[in-house]
Amino acid sequence: MTKHPDPIQTMLVAARRTQILDAAITVFSEKGFHRATIKEIARVAGIADGTIYTYFASKDEVLLAVLDRLNETTERGQQFVLGDEQDLKAFFRAYLQQRMALLWPNAEVFRAVLPELLVNGELRRQYYEQVLAPTIAVGEQFFQAQNEQLQITIPLTVRAIAGTLLGVLLLQLLGDEVVASQWEALPEVLTALFFDKVV
Amino acid sequence: MTKHPDPIQTMLVAARRTQILDAAITVFSEKGFHRATIKEIARVAGIADGTIYTYFASKDEVLLAVLDRLNETTERGQQFVLGDEQDLKAFFRAYLQQRMALLWPNAEVFRAVLPELLVNGELRRQYYEQVLAPTIAVGEQFFQAQNEQLQITIPLTVRAIAGTLLGVLLLQLLGDEVVASQWEALPEVLTALFFDKVV
Amino acid sequence: MTKHPDPIQTMLVAARRTQILDAAITVFSEKGFHRATIKEIARVAGIADGTIYTYFASKDEVLLAVLDRLNETTERGQQFVLGDEQDLKAFFRAYLQQRMALLWPNAEVFRAVLPELLVNGELRRQYYEQVLAPTIAVGEQFFQAQNEQLQITIPLTVRAIAGTLLGVLLLQLLGDEVVASQWEALPEVLTALFFDKVV
Amino acid sequence: MTKHPDPIQTMLVAARRTQILDAAITVFSEKGFHRATIKEIARVAGIADGTIYTYFASKDEVLLAVLDRLNETTERGQQFVLGDEQDLKAFFRAYLQQRMALLWPNAEVFRAVLPELLVNGELRRQYYEQVLAPTIAVGEQFFQAQNEQLQITIPLTVRAIAGTLLGVLLLQLLGDEVVASQWEALPEVLTALFFDKVV
DNA sequence: AATGAATGAGAATTCATTCAT
DNA sequence: TATGAATGAATTCTCATTCAT
């Protein structure tokens, strides 16, 4: 009858949820949301089918929780602090490095949710508002501070850059091995691409 | 008993296939491949469920045919010919304009197949080899002709640019309205981003 | 508007029915009644699906017509006439020879209808009355004429002999190669089995 | 998490399988394999459709399990031991009695599988090898021991006798009421038929 | 009469979810 | 809480039958 939040209980619940979400991400990214079955997620998590329903109301809720994890990671990444980089180029490179380092370990989570994201309006709205919009806003503020003139193109420019990050991740997910093998060189290349002349 | 290809017959078959594929793209983009049912595709196409199986062996084959349509469109786009643009920048802008004009009407087709692409290895391989790899190869040749020095970064640079195209398309699919409303301005913005200094 | 039976017309119809039934027997015995499709029967017959329905009201009717053919063949066989065999044993051998020679070419027809016969009451009744009962009746009359004493066992004895014929056919259909390869020796062996002492 | 075979669990599983197989045999014999639906088997078994798939991978597997049951019964019958019958005729009568007593309760199982047996190569091979071939082999050994001279006809003679058993069963399945009502008299009649002179 | 595309009822199978133990 | 057997709605696919040409 105790309604007081028992700290040990809370931790156990969190641990179980993590265990289930890890399994879900694995299975979702291998098979996609629909081909993934509760049975297999349970198997990978080492628990019984029914147990998942003690922690999540439905399969959809599991997906939402995976998305939440992606959001949380991104939010943590949002707290980007400028080091003592001297110039804009150096700053940009550092920013890219951090963002892409964040993207890499989340690639499979991304693969797990993207399909549903593209197709499920509610999920898409949630992802856009919680992950993309803030990222883009940060970028817009940044450019606005730097550049007072070309304000009209700033929104598109920021989206182009954000798009590039999404795009190279997508290329990797689609099987491009150059991107996969040289992921760490990308910040440098992108910085050069954006800040130096192409030719 | 005639086995000779009857031209009228061939056209009727092509028309029916088109009718079914149009419906499939609509439903796939709205609901995703798995939530889309043959019943609904048939309803949208205005035919009976079973009729789809006269033209496609399975639901998977319908998806493959949708992907093929994407491929064909891309191939047509591959036959890009330089006008009399004076400099590289102008050429690049023209190239982007053409590519993005191609991407726009295919956005929904892309939304329809991308989810499965991420998750279905065979489909992914086919898409990568037939669509992405040629596009990237064209870009690499182009840069190689222009620039003999920075060869090591060329592959990544080309992928960054290709990724940017994919990325902005993805942003639009994820609900970004700035990209959607200013799609036509993107070639100019991207050209500026890549060829002029950012700031 | 002519209702007069046109003899040429009648022959054409009969020829088409034969063509279809031949195809049906082939496909039924290969795949069984249910796995056989009208499409395949039509293909084997070299006509279009729909055409079958000009000659038969339904797939069931095709099966009934196959059964009819079996019946007709049997009836023809019923008109067994005693040659000038001297003794009972010789007569019996001759009878078996004739019956089994009849059974052999009909084995596939038998394979085609037996499954449905076992399971479809109406079909079974029809087959029993038109084929089995007369055959058994002939046997009973024969034995009655020979043997006045053991009347009680005659019905069972006749059925045992009829059963033996059915049974060896079934063995062959079930893949027994000895029966298949020595089919023609069976009348002799059976006569010996029934008329001589086993050991 | 225990993978040790839990005896209670094992029994429950066996009971459910039996329950499903009993229902399957009933429905198969009534309607034949193809007209029988999983829905109806489930209804007869008093469970939900889906439950069948917890115990059998497919409808085909259900049929195979029915066949297995037939095999097991037959194998048990194979362990025929001679009592103290004095002569061959008495032995043969006892053998027939035992075989036919075995056949009778399995008649419906036989009706359930025979149609598919005739038409499904793999099933047929399995049945022939596991049921018929051993039975025939036993018979051949038996005759060989008795009779050294007429070896050439032994294989056919044994098949004729085996065929007689199959054949009278088939007659019964095809609706013959004399065989059905006097089943128990058959061993005596057959023994007389084979060991005494017909007339 | 012949054709074969179109139809849609019906079947096997899957799997999220429930619930008795 | 954990379990996993049971459930049955939903889905893909098949195919006998129809009918416009």
Side-chain angles (χ1 to χ4, degrees):
Chain A
M1 206 65 80
T2 37
K3 291 285 176 183
H4 307 293
D6 176 346
I8 292 177
Q9 204 60 26
T10 307
M11 274 182 60
L12 283 177
V13 167
R16 263 278 196 271
R17 284 180 61 100
T18 300
Q19 179 188 16
I20 293 170
L21 286 186
D22 286 345
I25 289 167
T26 302
V27 183
F28 284 167
S29 37
E30 271 170 17
K31 315 221 167 159
F33 178 69
H34 280 96
R35 261 192 281 270
T37 64
I38 288 287
K39 205 178 200 75
E40 179 159 17
I41 295 173
R43 193 183 53 74
V44 171
I47 59 177
D49 311 14
T51 307
I52 290 182
Y53 287 85
T54 308
Y55 297 92
F56 298 93
S58 69
K59 195 185 171 189
D60 281 341
E61 293 286 310
V62 176
L63 184 69
L64 278 173
V66 171
L67 186 62
D68 279 344
R69 177 183 289 192
L70 197 61
N71 295 355
E72 282 161 27
T73 319
T74 315
E75 271 162 35
R76 251 180 289 127
Q78 221 70 268
Q79 301 149 0
F80 176 75
V81 281
L82 182 63
D84 55 350
E85 285 83 5
Q86 302 309 309
D87 60 359
L88 186 56
K89 185 174 166 182
F91 169 85
F92 198 77
R93 184 189 300 116
Y95 174 77
L96 284 180
Q97 253 154 7
Q98 202 162 322
R99 294 296 288 176
M100 300 200 80
L102 219 59
L103 234 44
W104 182 257
N106 282 301
E108 289 309 298
V109 188
F110 198 71
R111 191 203 295 273
V113 292
L114 182 55
E116 284 302 299
L117 235 41
L118 288 171
V119 133
N120 180 327
E122 174 52 27
L123 219 58
R124 188 162 64 231
R125 202 190 45 69
Q126 193 179 331
Y127 177 72
Y128 190 80
E129 286 178 9
Q130 292 184 24
V131 179
L132 289 182
T135 302
I136 289 172
V138 164
E140 287 184 333
Q141 285 159 23
F142 171 77
F143 276 97
Q144 227 119 33
Q146 299 295 327
N147 186 324
E148 305 284 319
Q149 305 99 296
L150 300 169
Q151 301 197 6
I152 302 163
T153 63
I154 283 178
L156 270 187
T157 301
V158 169
R159 278 160 179 85
I161 295 171
T164 304
L165 296 195
L166 276 181
V168 291
L169 179 60
L170 196 50
L171 274 182
Q172 186 235 311
L173 291 176
L174 287 171
D176 188 286
E177 292 179 3
V178 173
V179 172
S181 64
Q182 301 189 45
W183 186 260
E184 281 156 24
L186 267 169
E188 187 57 45
V189 169
L190 293 181
T191 307
L193 178 63
F194 294 145
F195 282 83
D196 305 331
K197 286 178 148 277
V198 168
V199 286
Chain B
M1 206 74 71
T2 35
K3 295 283 176 186
H4 306 293
D6 175 348
I8 293 177
Q9 201 59 25
T10 307
M11 275 183 60
L12 283 176
V13 167
R16 262 278 193 273
R17 283 181 62 100
T18 302
Q19 178 189 15
I20 293 170
L21 285 185
D22 287 345
I25 289 168
T26 302
V27 182
F28 285 167
S29 335
E30 272 168 16
K31 315 218 165 165
F33 178 69
H34 279 97
R35 258 192 282 271
T37 64
I38 287 289
K39 210 178 196 72
E40 178 155 21
I41 295 173
R43 195 182 54 73
V44 170
I47 57 177
D49 308 15
T51 305
I52 291 181
Y53 290 87
T54 308
Y55 297 91
F56 299 94
S58 67
K59 196 184 168 189
D60 279 347
E61 291 286 309
V62 176
L63 185 69
L64 278 174
V66 172
L67 186 62
D68 278 344
R69 178 183 286 193
L70 201 59
N71 294 357
E72 282 162 27
T73 320
T74 315
E75 269 163 35
R76 254 181 286 124
Q78 221 70 266
Q79 302 151 357
F80 177 74
V81 279
L82 182 63
D84 55 349
E85 284 83 6
Q86 301 310 311
D87 59 0
L88 186 56
K89 184 173 166 182
F91 169 84
F92 199 75
R93 185 189 300 117
Y95 174 76
L96 285 180
Q97 250 152 9
Q98 202 162 323
R99 294 297 287 175
M100 301 202 79
L102 222 57
L103 234 43
W104 183 257
N106 282 304
E108 289 308 300
V109 187
F110 199 71
R111 190 203 296 277
V113 292
L114 183 54
E116 280 301 296
L117 236 39
L118 288 170
V119 135
N120 181 327
E122 174 54 25
L123 217 59
R124 186 162 66 233
R125 201 190 45 69
Q126 193 179 331
Y127 177 73
Y128 190 81
E129 285 178 9
Q130 293 185 19
V131 180
L132 289 182
T135 302
I136 289 172
V138 165
E140 288 184 333
Q141 285 160 22
F142 171 78
F143 276 98
Q144 226 118 35
Q146 299 296 325
N147 188 325
E148 305 284 320
Q149 303 98 301
L150 302 169
Q151 302 198 7
I152 300 164
T153 63
I154 284 178
L156 269 188
T157 301
V158 169
R159 277 160 179 85
I161 295 171
T164 304
L165 296 194
L166 275 182
V168 292
L169 179 60
L170 196 51
L171 275 181
Q172 186 237 309
L173 291 176
L174 288 170
D176 187 284
E177 291 178 4
V178 172
V179 171
S181 64
Q182 301 189 45
W183 185 260
E184 280 156 25
L186 267 168
E188 186 58 46
V189 169
L190 294 181
T191 308
L193 179 62
F194 294 146
F195 282 82
D196 306 330
K197 286 176 148 285
V198 168
V199 286
Chain C
M1 209 62 84
T2 36
K3 294 285 178 184
H4 305 293
D6 175 347
I8 293 177
Q9 204 59 25
T10 307
M11 274 182 61
L12 283 178
V13 166
R16 264 277 195 272
R17 285 180 61 100
T18 301
Q19 179 188 14
I20 293 170
L21 285 185
D22 287 344
I25 289 168
T26 303
V27 183
F28 285 167
S29 37
E30 271 170 16
K31 315 219 166 163
F33 178 68
H34 280 97
R35 261 192 280 271
T37 65
I38 289 287
K39 206 179 199 73
E40 179 157 18
I41 295 172
R43 193 181 55 73
V44 171
I47 58 176
D49 310 15
T51 306
I52 290 181
Y53 288 86
T54 307
Y55 298 91
F56 298 94
S58 68
K59 195 184 171 189
D60 281 341
E61 292 287 310
V62 176
L63 184 69
L64 278 174
V66 171
L67 186 61
D68 279 345
R69 177 183 289 193
L70 197 61
N71 296 356
E72 282 161 28
T73 318
T74 315
E75 270 162 36
R76 250 179 290 127
Q78 222 70 266
Q79 302 149 358
F80 176 76
V81 279
L82 182 65
D84 54 350
E85 284 83 4
Q86 301 310 308
D87 61 0
L88 186 56
K89 184 173 167 185
F91 169 85
F92 199 76
R93 183 187 302 116
Y95 174 77
L96 284 180
Q97 251 153 7
Q98 200 162 324
R99 293 297 288 175
M100 301 202 80
L102 220 58
L103 234 43
W104 183 256
N106 281 302
E108 289 310 298
V109 188
F110 199 70
R111 190 203 294 276
V113 294
L114 182 55
E116 285 301 299
L117 236 40
L118 288 170
V119 133
N120 180 326
E122 173 53 27
L123 220 59
R124 187 162 64 231
R125 201 191 43 73
Q126 193 178 331
Y127 177 73
Y128 190 81
E129 286 179 8
Q130 293 185 23
V131 180
L132 289 182
T135 302
I136 289 173
V138 165
E140 288 184 333
Q141 285 159 23
F142 170 78
F143 275 97
Q144 226 118 35
Q146 300 296 325
N147 188 326
E148 305 285 317
Q149 305 97 301
L150 301 169
Q151 302 198 7
I152 302 163
T153 62
I154 284 180
L156 269 187
T157 301
V158 169
R159 278 161 179 83
I161 295 171
T164 304
L165 296 195
L166 276 182
V168 290
L169 179 59
L170 195 50
L171 274 181
Q172 186 237 312
L173 292 176
L174 287 171
D176 188 285
E177 292 178 3
V178 172
V179 172
S181 65
Q182 301 188 45
W183 186 260
E184 280 155 25
L186 267 168
E188 186 58 45
V189 169
L190 294 181
T191 307
L193 178 62
F194 295 144
F195 283 81
D196 305 330
K197 287 180 146 274
V198 168
V199 285
Chain D
M1 207 74 70
T2 35
K3 295 284 175 186
H4 305 294
D6 175 348
I8 292 176
Q9 200 60 25
T10 306
M11 274 182 61
L12 284 176
V13 166
R16 263 278 195 271
R17 283 181 61 101
T18 301
Q19 178 189 14
I20 293 169
L21 286 185
D22 287 345
I25 288 168
T26 303
V27 182
F28 285 167
S29 338
E30 273 169 15
K31 314 218 165 167
F33 179 68
H34 280 98
R35 258 193 281 272
T37 65
I38 288 289
K39 210 177 197 74
E40 177 155 22
I41 295 173
R43 193 181 55 73
V44 171
I47 58 177
D49 308 15
T51 304
I52 290 181
Y53 289 87
T54 307
Y55 297 91
F56 299 94
S58 66
K59 195 183 169 190
D60 280 346
E61 292 285 309
V62 176
L63 185 69
L64 277 174
V66 171
L67 187 61
D68 277 344
R69 178 183 286 193
L70 200 59
N71 294 356
E72 281 162 28
T73 320
T74 314
E75 269 162 38
R76 251 180 289 127
Q78 221 71 265
Q79 302 150 357
F80 176 75
V81 279
L82 183 64
D84 55 348
E85 285 82 6
Q86 301 310 310
D87 60 1
L88 185 56
K89 183 174 167 183
F91 169 85
F92 199 76
R93 184 188 301 115
Y95 174 75
L96 285 180
Q97 250 153 8
Q98 201 162 323
R99 296 296 288 175
M100 301 202 80
L102 222 56
L103 234 44
W104 182 256
N106 281 305
E108 289 308 299
V109 187
F110 200 71
R111 190 202 296 275
V113 293
L114 183 55
E116 280 302 296
L117 235 41
L118 288 171
V119 136
N120 181 326
E122 174 53 25
L123 216 60
R124 186 163 63 233
R125 201 191 44 71
Q126 193 178 330
Y127 177 73
Y128 190 81
E129 285 179 8
Q130 292 184 22
V131 180
L132 289 182
T135 302
I136 290 172
V138 165
E140 287 184 334
Q141 284 159 23
F142 170 79
F143 277 97
Q144 226 119 35
Q146 300 296 326
N147 187 325
E148 305 284 318
Q149 305 99 301
L150 300 168
Q151 301 199 9
I152 302 164
T153 63
I154 285 179
L156 270 187
T157 301
V158 168
R159 278 160 178 85
I161 295 171
T164 304
L165 297 194
L166 275 182
V168 291
L169 179 59
L170 195 51
L171 273 182
Q172 186 236 311
L173 292 177
L174 287 170
D176 188 284
E177 291 178 4
V178 173
V179 172
S181 65
Q182 301 189 44
W183 186 259
E184 280 155 26
L186 268 168
E188 186 57 45
V189 169
L190 293 181
T191 307
L193 178 62
F194 295 145
F195 281 82
D196 304 332
K197 290 181 146 280
V198 169
V199 285

